Amino acid sequence: MKQAVVVIHGIGEQRPMDTLRSFVEAMIPADTPGGTPFYWSKPDRLSRNFDLRVLKSSGRTTTDFYEYYWAHKMQGTKLGHLLGWLWDIFKRPRRDIPDAIVPIWRTTRWTVLLLLLLVATGTLATAWGTFDHDGNPFALMPLLLGAIGLGLRYSALSYLGDAARYLSPNPQNVMVREQIRADGVELLRALHNKGDYDRIIVVGHSLGSVIAYDIVGYLWHEHHDQLTKVVPSNLALAARYANHEALQPVVKDTLPNAGAALDGSLGSTLRFREQQAAAFIEQRGLGNPWRITDLVTVGSPMAHASLLLGRSVSDFKQRIERREAPACPPTEDDKGYGYNARQPVMLGQKPFTAQYLHHAAAFAVTRWTNLYFPAPFGLFGDIVSGPVKPVMGNGVLDLPVTVSRWRGWLARSWLSHTKYWSERGGDQGYLGALTTDEHAISKGKRPSATEALRWAVDLKGLRSFRPTPAGEPLAEAEA
């Protein structure tokens, strides 16, 4: 049995393999205290980038770790790309700004207005001769503005520039956006076509989480209506159907029922995740080649998706309702999250009408876990990220995390954005209680970021996603 983990790095001047190596070393604990995690490195034959490698874990369950590297596609970013994107956000009304970043939005607005006022005042004072040129305190304004410009050029541009070009659908950015998405979809498609993997996990950090969301949704378009085993010649399915066995009980009943019962509580989210896993197994048993069981986002700006991916809060909600933006749980269709096939298939002596999950229902079979460092007042923590559930749906499992006590200050600083897998230890007790303690997340002790990430990726959970010939979960069949 094999599984693949695809890691998508975030913004900035990233170097190939740096993100992947640090991630793998955090996911595979060393056998001895102070030891080095052991993994193999081999050429990545699915990528055209010769700097990339596949890192392969050892053990009974083989895991191949891939990196989707996209930083080199962002060359040529100019200050105009960034300023145009920031201006679009700056001019939006308060109702279209997520609550979590309102303090930053207001501070930025007042700062810009103050600078404009100082420039205008200095210009007028000089023009009217109120101050001598040599004694005019506003004569320093060009130097101040120049310093701000250099700061944007050499710091903000290196980081926010990537976000500005990917998130802004201006004509000058379309080619870059499409190339990043197309190459990401091609990698996931190649992993599916390879045929070696029983399970694929996609992990996205920062802007990489937005890319991960996009490419998972786009690839699902190719798989949502593929039930290749539902054919007249399939004697096994015909026998089950003749025995009055329901072939799609999860997709037709239990999954949409679990989605309808989502009320924002931890218990309802966990029950929905159980049905997502069951739906994955059911779809696979009927021949759907989809293999992505989990999307894990860390430090994700998807918490502000209505601001970054839509023109307004109402506009983004409409995109979800129109099924332009996949939600979790998916937007409902005529039959739960899907629709009936146009033509029935004769299974033995009885006609069977398959039900397909619709084109925006990727999260009917793929679980979504989101890790973030809370940022009270939008200032003290990872201001880029936040809870995704309020925006993308109650099926998302949000996990607020921290770091170890002696470095706990990191969890309350902007530096936390790059510390999601900086630790190597962790107590599994908290996350072990997650399935039974309704208040473990909201009121309990927070897990370390690395501990939560290991739990979300769940490298040891591969066997639970492999169906038996009867289409039931392997763990249940063995029990």
Side-chain angles (χ1 to χ4, degrees):
M1 299 179 67
K2 294 180 64 176
Q3 61 187 352
V5 179
V6 179
V7 179
I8 307 177
H9 66 78
I11 58 178
E13 299 292 336
Q14 303 281 350
R15 299 179 61 182
M17 296 301 296
D18 283 355
T19 298
L20 185 62
R21 286 195 179 95
S22 61
F23 176 87
V24 171
E25 289 174 359
M27 291 300 100
I28 305 177
D31 295 333
T32 59
T36 301
F38 182 75
Y39 55 84
W40 299 100
S41 175
K42 61 180 183 181
D44 182 357
R45 297 184 178 180
L46 301 182
S47 172
R48 293 187 295 270
N49 189 333
F50 292 109
D51 289 321
L52 297 180
R53 309 279 294 182
V54 178
L55 304 185
K56 185 183 182 72
S57 70
S58 59
R60 289 184 59 188
T61 300
T62 300
T63 303
D64 291 346
F65 295 88
Y66 294 82
E67 179 177 32
Y68 174 45
Y69 180 77
W70 55 268
H72 63 295
K73 298 179 175 67
M74 282 294 186
Q75 300 302 311
T77 302
K78 300 178 181 179
L79 189 59
H81 294 120
L82 175 59
L83 294 179
W85 178 64
L86 291 177
W87 173 249
D88 179 66
I89 296 176
F90 175 82
K91 67 182 182 181
R92 295 192 186 188
R94 164 64 182 88
R95 65 178 178 273
D96 293 331
I97 304 299
D99 292 338
I101 62 173
V102 165
I104 298 175
W105 174 78
R106 284 177 173 166
T107 300
T108 303
R109 267 200 159 194
W110 282 110
T111 301
V112 172
L113 291 174
L114 179 60
L115 288 174
L116 292 176
L117 179 62
L118 289 175
V119 171
T121 304
T123 302
L124 291 175
T126 301
W128 291 345
T130 303
F131 295 102
D132 294 333
H133 184 73
D134 293 339
N136 187 352
F138 298 103
L140 297 176
M141 287 303 300
L143 294 177
L144 176 60
L145 294 176
I148 294 174
L150 288 174
L152 289 173
R153 174 63 181 84
Y154 292 106
S155 59
L157 189 60
S158 300
Y159 293 89
L160 292 180
D162 290 352
R165 298 197 69 185
Y166 186 82
L167 297 172
S168 179
N170 293 332
Q172 58 193 2
N173 298 328
V174 168
M175 183 176 295
V176 171
R177 286 156 50 92
E178 293 307 301
Q179 185 179 9
I180 290 174
R181 290 167 175 171
D183 288 351
V185 170
E186 180 59 33
L187 173 59
L188 295 184
R189 184 187 295 120
L191 291 174
H192 280 78
N193 294 340
K194 189 176 176 63
D196 291 347
Y197 299 113
D198 299 285
R199 178 192 181 202
I200 299 172
I201 306 105
V202 181
V203 182
H205 173 243
S206 188
L207 181 59
S209 67
V210 184
I211 298 172
Y213 168 81
D214 284 342
I215 63 178
V216 167
Y218 287 131
L219 185 67
W220 172 252
H221 295 176
E222 302 177 10
H223 295 80
H224 71 94
D225 59 353
Q226 296 187 34
L227 299 178
T228 58
K229 292 183 180 179
V230 183
V231 294
S233 60
N234 193 317
L235 299 180
L237 286 181
R240 290 171 55 191
Y241 195 53
N243 197 35
H244 304 287
E245 180 180 345
L247 300 184
Q248 294 182 285
V250 180
V251 166
K252 289 186 176 182
D253 297 311
T254 57
L255 177 65
N257 290 341
L262 286 168
D263 56 10
S265 67
L266 174 61
S268 66
T269 302
L270 293 175
R271 286 188 289 273
F272 179 70
R273 288 167 64 89
E274 291 175 356
Q275 294 306 315
Q276 287 174 299
F280 174 90
I281 296 170
E282 181 180 87
Q283 289 286 103
R284 182 175 176 181
L286 296 177
N288 192 316
W290 185 252
R291 291 294 180 268
I292 301 176
T293 63
D294 290 271
L295 170 65
V296 182
T297 55
V298 293
S300 176
M302 289 296 296
H304 320 300
S306 59
L307 173 69
L308 301 176
L309 303 182
R311 295 182 179 275
S312 65
V313 173
S314 60
D315 172 67
F316 189 70
K317 289 181 179 179
Q318 290 175 1
R319 294 187 184 193
I320 290 178
E321 293 170 357
R322 293 193 299 260
R323 288 178 282 183
E324 295 176 16
C328 184
T331 303
E332 291 191 2
D333 205 313
D334 295 337
K335 302 287 185 179
Y337 302 135
Y339 56 92
N340 288 336
R342 293 184 178 181
Q343 298 293 333
V345 173
M346 294 301 297
L347 286 179
Q349 303 299 317
K350 298 174 61 179
F352 171 73
T353 301
Q355 182 168 322
Y356 297 133
L357 294 168
H358 64 68
H359 70 273
F363 298 107
V365 293
T366 300
R367 303 177 300 189
W368 187 344
T369 309
N370 177 62
L371 279 61
Y372 67 99
F373 288 102
F377 309 108
L379 298 173
F380 307 105
D382 185 0
I383 61 175
V384 174
S385 66
V388 170
K389 178 184 293 187
V391 183
M392 302 308 302
N394 287 330
V396 180
L397 178 60
D398 285 321
L399 288 177
V401 296
T402 186
V403 291
S404 60
R405 290 182 179 179
W406 69 275
R407 291 192 301 173
W409 63 271
L410 278 177
R412 298 183 293 274
S413 73
W414 292 1
L415 296 176
S416 61
H417 185 64
T418 60
K419 303 300 178 182
Y420 283 93
W421 52 82
S422 61
E423 297 179 325
R424 297 295 179 264
D427 179 14
Q428 297 295 326
Y430 170 88
L431 292 173
L434 183 61
T435 57
T436 57
D437 185 357
E438 188 75 16
H439 302 286
I441 294 179
S442 60
K443 297 182 180 179
K445 178 184 175 183
R446 294 174 187 164
S448 74
T450 303
E451 172 197 0
L453 188 56
R454 288 176 184 167
W455 180 88
V457 174
D458 190 19
L459 295 179
K460 297 181 180 180
L462 173 59
R463 289 180 61 82
S464 63
F465 288 99
R466 189 171 188 178
T468 65
E472 297 297 331
L474 182 61
E476 294 181 6
E478 290 177 343

